[in-house]
Amino acid sequence: MAGFARVIVEVARNREFDYRIPEALRDAVHVGSQVVIPFGKSEARGYVVALLDAVTRPGLKEIRDVAGRKAVVSETMLTLARWMADYYLAPYEIAVRTVLPSAVRKKGAAFIERLQVVVTEKSRDPAALLALRKHAPKQAAALDVLLGGGPAFLNHLAHSAHTTPAAIHGLEAKGFVQISKERFTRDPLANQTFLRTEAPPLMPQQEAALKIIRQSLETLTPPVVLLFGVTGSGKTEVYLQAIKTALERGQGAIVLVPEIALTPQTIERFRGRFGEDVAVLHSRLSQGERHDEWHRIHDGVARIVVGPRSAVFAPVHNLGLIVVDEEHEPSYKQEEAPRYNARDVAVVRGKLEKCAVVLGSATPALESFANVRRGKYALAELPARVDHRQMPSVRVVDMRIEAEREGRVNIFSRDLIDAIRLRIERAEQTMLFLNRRGYASQLICPKCGYVAQCRSCSVALTYHKTTDELLCHICGARQRVPERCPEPNCRDPAFKYAGLGTQRIEVILHKLFPIARVTRMDSDTTTEKGSHRRILHDFRGGKIDILIGTQMIAKGLDFPNVTLVGVISADMSLHKPDFRASERTFQLLTQVAGRAGRGDLKGEVFVQTFTPHHPAIQAARRLDYAGFIDQEFEGRRELSYPPFTHLVVLTLKGVSEQRLQFAGEEFVKQLQPRLGPQVILNGPMPAPLARAKGLYRFQILLRAPLTKQVTDPLRQTLGAFKWPKDIECSVDVDALQMM
Ligand code: ADP
Ligand code: ZN
């Protein structure tokens, strides 16, 4: 039996320490156990990452205690953490922390226990009852409530019997009831009932897709299935039935959903089919709820987990299936260390756990489609909507012609206004999409051209009308609107708002259609708990005619009465300094268009743009994914961008531009000799977002066909290089963000 344990400690990053396991704890310490150890002058908590028979160094300190009997982290999850640390160049300790939610790790995390009251035999004895009624009417009243309603929590019982906890303890003393501590699980979905649903018979295309996934479940060939299905083609139904197959095989499942698509409607579909077997993990849960949900999974009570990217680490027993819905979504990437992509982690976990992985999307990422072409993933297709509902027709509105005809640039084209009016007359619903919240993007002085900028970030401030202030969307800084232009030589009072935000769309719509019921949904209107749910509920119930929103309304929503979707400006996402701008625009337009015509009525989509002939917009108009990616693949291949290479972005931040440039150049000097000929290096250069939160930002970009070709030399160089104290360096492997 092993006498020593290698431990990583919460407080010390990227180092491991060896401890002796005292005789008394030998049976309790496993790989993955959480232990209490002497550390420096005090105590610390850590995780056992390996057991050793012998160590080279004498005089080791001893482990003091073990928290819990079961290992909290499985060996597989530690292997996964090791892979993450390695692949994403992150400290191992941070990777281990990532596989364990803080709600479980923290010292204070625990179950709540409550006092439960149950009746005893004596309470059925008529003579004893009679005596009680006579001498202690309050106690008798409490007992009556209990006899009528069954076991209850002590404080609830005292409340409903209009008496005190003391009276109930009195009942216990007399032997009428028994009080015991019960574990109370905080259920985030308590008070919500879900109608149970039955699996409908599948359409032939769904049947074929399910067959491929079942084969993967049973034989692990193919290990990964890309489920490419147009919006409304019934992908979710395929997931549900695949999960059912996993359950029948005695296996559990994880379903990853982008955070913003984790709507009540989505949860309802899984809870409705599988009831209490489903645990939901998401960021709106309290620490306590998260702790309890995690343990419901860890104890095998819940076998299915639905959640955003961190749910990929859920401790599901005997995992049989991982589904990644909307696998192309950038929100699967964590923007802090370890900068993992949950989709890719899902594939790796699938390999380690020997379970099937399904990646689903109407617009798969180029990376995933490339893996199909390379034969790594199998492809299952759902080319048509359920019940042969028609795909919406997409019209591109050329805003240049519109501007010429009207003699000015309007926000709403005539065509879109007419289309909205028609929907109001027919009592059908409209969704309008704009990817920027706030009222106007900028405050501009028409005389001297001054634009109100954030003091600490290199971006223009956004005007918010409801609070009448300027807000930085990077750092959150707020500022009053100046009364006149601050330029000393100008001081003109006639400030103008330029650009667009969802608030402004709302104001204009009220003017255009005074009778229409208009609601806006973006991160400004959904800060209150439950507001998200309420807006969607009202929209579904027909209490709203027009819903305006940011990308929050682009995904996963299914409203059969929506027959019109308007994209106010497709240009906004198209002209970002990012090689994925076309792909993102195409995905966004396709997703948004997918909200239209999901019922029996055909949907119509209007896309307003000043660049109508852009390939991404034309492809979205034709709903032509294959055509789009063929063209896009060519462009990426020519420029050696992903999926033909892996992209690693180093970002340097600091207060001095010169020092950043200098340190960056020094680093590159040391890195360059270690790089093979396949690696393309650019920089150091100022990042597209050149300044944020008061710090300058520089970037170094590295690309190579294999990640290791970049990360191995990078690890060596980073290990030997000392950054000046005032410079912070972060590494993003398979970066999705170029800002
Ligand atoms: P997707 O996830 O591809 O957007 P969904 O799974 O949400 O598609 O399906 C779209 C709609 O069709 C949903 O309302 C769903 O309940 C319904 N649906 C899916 N599959 C079937 C089926 N086999 N029979 C009847 N209705 C179905
Ligand atoms: Zn700012």
Side-chain angles (χ1 to χ4, degrees):
M1 189 162 285
F4 303 92
R6 184 155 289 170
V7 175
I8 53 167
V9 187
E10 291 260 312
V11 289
R13 294 177 169 194
N14 220 9
R15 283 191 56 194
E16 293 163 3
F17 302 87
D18 292 345
Y19 286 86
R20 180 184 298 282
I21 308 173
E23 206 61 53
L25 293 178
R26 293 256 157 116
D27 292 337
V29 175
H30 311 284
V31 171
S33 293
Q34 191 177 26
V35 290
V36 181
I37 44 177
F39 195 74
K41 288 207 174 67
S42 60
E43 249 181 23
R45 288 184 153 219
Y47 293 96
V48 177
V49 293
L51 294 176
L52 317 164
D53 292 324
V55 284
T56 45
R57 209 162 62 79
L60 289 178
K61 291 183 184 167
E62 283 196 344
I63 289 178
R64 293 212 175 126
D65 203 1
V66 183
R69 263 151 285 121
K70 263 200 259 177
V72 221
V73 208
S74 70
E75 261 189 273
T76 312
M77 294 312 281
L78 286 175
T79 311
L80 189 64
R82 177 78 69 188
W83 174 84
M84 266 203 300
D86 212 47
Y87 187 88
Y88 294 106
L89 289 186
Y92 179 46
E93 210 282 320
I94 295 202
V96 173
R97 263 200 254 179
T98 305
V99 307
L100 260 183
S102 66
V104 179
R105 244 185 309 120
K106 292 263 164 60
K107 233 179 183 161
F111 290 101
I112 298 183
E113 291 190 328
R114 285 207 176 167
L115 296 176
Q116 199 183 37
V117 191
V118 290
V119 295
T120 60
E121 273 305 303
K122 189 174 175 186
S123 66
R124 314 211 183 270
D125 175 356
L129 270 179
L130 206 64
L132 186 73
R133 290 221 159 82
K134 206 161 166 189
H135 301 296
K138 281 210 166 145
Q139 293 182 1
L143 190 60
D144 284 337
V145 171
L146 210 54
L147 285 167
F153 289 120
L154 188 126
N155 51 353
H156 287 177
L157 179 60
H159 183 79
S160 49
H162 306 290
T163 181
T164 59
I168 296 162
H169 282 292
L171 272 177
E172 189 189 27
K174 288 179 187 156
F176 286 99
V177 300
Q178 225 170 26
I179 300 176
S180 58
K181 274 191 187 163
E182 285 293 318
R183 184 192 271 190
F184 172 75
T185 305
R186 287 153 284 199
D187 180 0
L189 298 173
N191 311 326
Q192 287 178 41
T193 48
F194 296 96
L195 287 182
R196 287 303 280 241
T197 61
E198 292 295 326
L202 292 179
M203 308 206 316
Q205 59 171 17
Q206 288 173 309
E207 202 67 71
L210 185 62
K211 200 173 151 206
I212 299 177
I213 298 169
R214 283 203 176 124
Q215 189 192 321
S216 172
L217 269 163
E218 279 153 22
T219 64
L220 293 178
T221 38
V224 181
V225 179
L226 179 68
L227 180 59
F228 169 36
V230 297
T231 53
S233 59
K235 292 187 289 296
T236 312
E237 188 55 48
V238 174
Y239 306 150
L240 289 167
Q241 304 209 13
I243 293 168
K244 185 159 162 267
T245 306
L247 291 183
E248 283 162 4
R249 292 166 47 83
Q251 296 174 312
I254 295 176
V255 183
L256 300 185
V257 179
E259 179 89 47
I260 47 173
L262 199 55
T263 57
Q265 202 182 343
T266 309
I267 295 172
E268 201 174 308
R269 287 187 76 178
F270 288 90
R271 272 279 177 132
R273 193 64 60 81
F274 301 111
E276 300 280 301
D277 236 344
V278 179
V280 181
L281 298 170
H282 60 76
S283 66
R284 293 186 300 273
L285 297 184
S286 67
Q287 284 282 80
E289 287 171 334
R290 209 176 303 207
H291 169 269
D292 291 2
E293 283 292 88
W294 193 89
H295 279 281
R296 248 166 40 86
I297 303 160
H298 192 241
D299 296 344
V301 178
R303 294 182 295 165
I304 304 158
V305 177
V306 181
R309 73 171 172 252
S310 58
V312 75
F313 305 114
V316 174
H317 287 230
N318 194 10
L319 190 61
L321 174 69
I322 309 178
V323 173
V324 185
D325 191 27
E326 312 275 9
E327 62 84 33
H328 63 279
E329 262 293 302
S331 68
Y332 283 126
K333 186 89 159 91
Q334 175 153 294
E335 292 300 342
E336 58 198 61
R339 293 181 154 76
Y340 69 90
N341 187 323
R343 175 197 58 214
D344 302 332
V345 173
V347 171
V348 175
R349 184 168 180 192
K351 207 187 279 172
L352 293 175
E353 304 245 21
K354 300 193 173 42
C355 80
V357 178
V358 175
L359 311 179
S361 176
T363 52
L366 259 68
E367 284 81 355
S368 300
F369 219 86
N371 280 326
V372 170
R373 291 193 173 176
R374 291 176 191 136
K376 284 196 191 167
Y377 299 172
L379 181 66
E381 284 186 86
L382 303 176
R385 283 188 162 179
V386 168
D387 282 346
H388 307 290
R389 274 172 208 147
Q390 287 176 52
M391 292 302 285
S393 63
V394 181
R395 284 189 47 188
V396 176
V397 182
D398 187 342
M399 294 303 275
R400 297 170 310 179
I401 296 175
E402 179 79 16
E404 205 164 290
R405 190 172 65 200
E406 303 290 316
R408 49 178 282 194
V409 177
N410 286 327
I411 289 166
F412 284 91
S413 62
R414 265 221 213 132
D415 293 349
L416 184 53
I417 293 175
D418 290 343
I420 297 174
R421 181 169 298 120
L422 191 66
R423 295 320 184 285
I424 295 175
E425 285 164 10
R426 288 197 209 144
E428 292 168 11
Q429 289 171 302
T430 299
M431 286 171 109
L432 295 177
F433 176 83
L434 183 75
N435 219 358
R436 189 190 286 120
R437 67 201 166 94
Y439 182 79
S441 52
Q442 295 152 5
L443 196 62
I444 288 183
C445 172
K447 243 201 178 129
C448 76
Y450 167 88
V451 174
Q453 292 248 339
C454 176
R455 287 192 194 92
S456 38
C457 309
S458 57
V459 292
L461 294 165
T462 303
Y463 177 61
H464 284 240
K465 195 179 172 78
T466 37
T467 49
D468 193 31
E469 60 187 0
L470 296 165
L471 190 69
C472 172
H473 284 190
I474 300 287
C475 73
R478 293 160 189 282
Q479 218 174 289
R480 289 254 304 279
V481 178
E483 289 192 358
R484 39 182 69 237
C485 177
E487 273 310 311
N489 299 330
C490 179
R491 309 291 293 155
D492 196 88
F495 260 142
K496 275 250 163 46
Y497 302 113
L500 269 182
T502 44
Q503 278 186 3
R504 187 152 177 214
I505 300 292
E506 187 180 8
V507 171
I508 297 169
L509 270 179
H510 276 304
K511 282 191 193 136
L512 285 172
F513 303 106
I515 53 152
R517 295 161 302 173
V518 178
T519 298
R520 173 163 58 91
M521 187 158 114
D522 54 31
S523 52
D524 292 328
T525 64
T526 52
T527 45
E528 229 176 278
K529 200 173 174 175
S531 49
H532 190 247
R533 195 183 157 84
R534 197 172 51 245
I535 294 174
L536 295 181
H537 185 264
D538 286 353
F539 193 49
R540 171 169 303 273
K543 289 185 195 150
I544 297 169
D545 299 309
I546 305 172
L547 183 66
I548 308 162
T550 53
Q551 52 175 332
M552 211 178 254
I553 65 168
K555 315 234 156 76
L557 298 173
D558 188 357
F559 300 105
N561 200 34
V562 172
T563 58
L564 174 64
V565 166
V567 177
I568 304 295
S569 166
D571 304 319
M572 254 182 211
S573 67
L574 204 50
H575 303 305
K576 284 195 177 147
D578 184 334
F579 70 92
R580 286 195 181 88
S582 288
E583 186 184 3
R584 292 275 173 263
T585 305
F586 176 78
Q587 286 167 344
L588 201 62
L589 292 179
T590 310
Q591 294 291 337
V592 174
R595 300 310 114 215
R598 293 179 68 101
D600 298 328
L601 306 163
K602 184 171 161 68
E604 219 180 352
V605 180
F606 283 72
V607 178
Q608 302 192 142
T609 174
F610 283 93
T611 45
H613 300 297
H614 192 284
I617 289 179
Q618 283 303 318
R621 180 182 67 75
R622 297 189 309 266
L623 301 166
D624 177 14
Y625 176 82
F628 174 73
I629 62 163
D630 276 343
Q631 193 169 5
E632 191 65 19
F633 264 132
E634 270 328 295
R636 302 272 186 97
R637 192 200 309 273
E638 250 159 56
L639 299 171
S640 295
Y641 271 120
F644 298 96
T645 53
H646 287 265
L647 170 70
V648 179
V649 177
L650 253 77
T651 304
L652 310 181
K653 295 180 200 167
V655 286
S656 152
E657 246 178 314
Q658 286 87 351
R659 285 173 58 74
L660 276 178
Q661 175 87 40
F662 182 74
E665 280 166 7
E666 282 303 303
F667 183 79
V668 165
K669 255 187 228 159
Q670 301 200 11
L671 175 65
Q672 206 133 36
R674 293 191 167 102
L675 298 177
Q678 323 84 346
V679 184
I680 304 169
L681 180 147
N682 304 108
M685 58 200 166
L689 177 63
R691 199 161 164 253
K693 301 176 189 172
L695 297 177
Y696 288 96
R697 299 153 51 88
F698 270 67
Q699 279 180 349
I700 298 167
L701 305 187
L702 293 149
R703 282 171 284 159
L706 301 175
T707 317
K708 281 175 91 54
Q709 293 165 339
V710 175
T711 49
D712 283 350
L714 207 49
R715 191 180 298 106
Q716 290 167 9
T717 313
L718 285 166
F721 193 82
K722 257 206 127 29
W723 295 102
K725 270 211 170 58
D726 59 339
I727 290 178
E728 189 193 310
C729 166
S730 61
V731 183
D732 191 353
V733 177
D734 290 340
L736 290 182
Q737 267 242 49
M738 303 275 291
M739 298 304 279

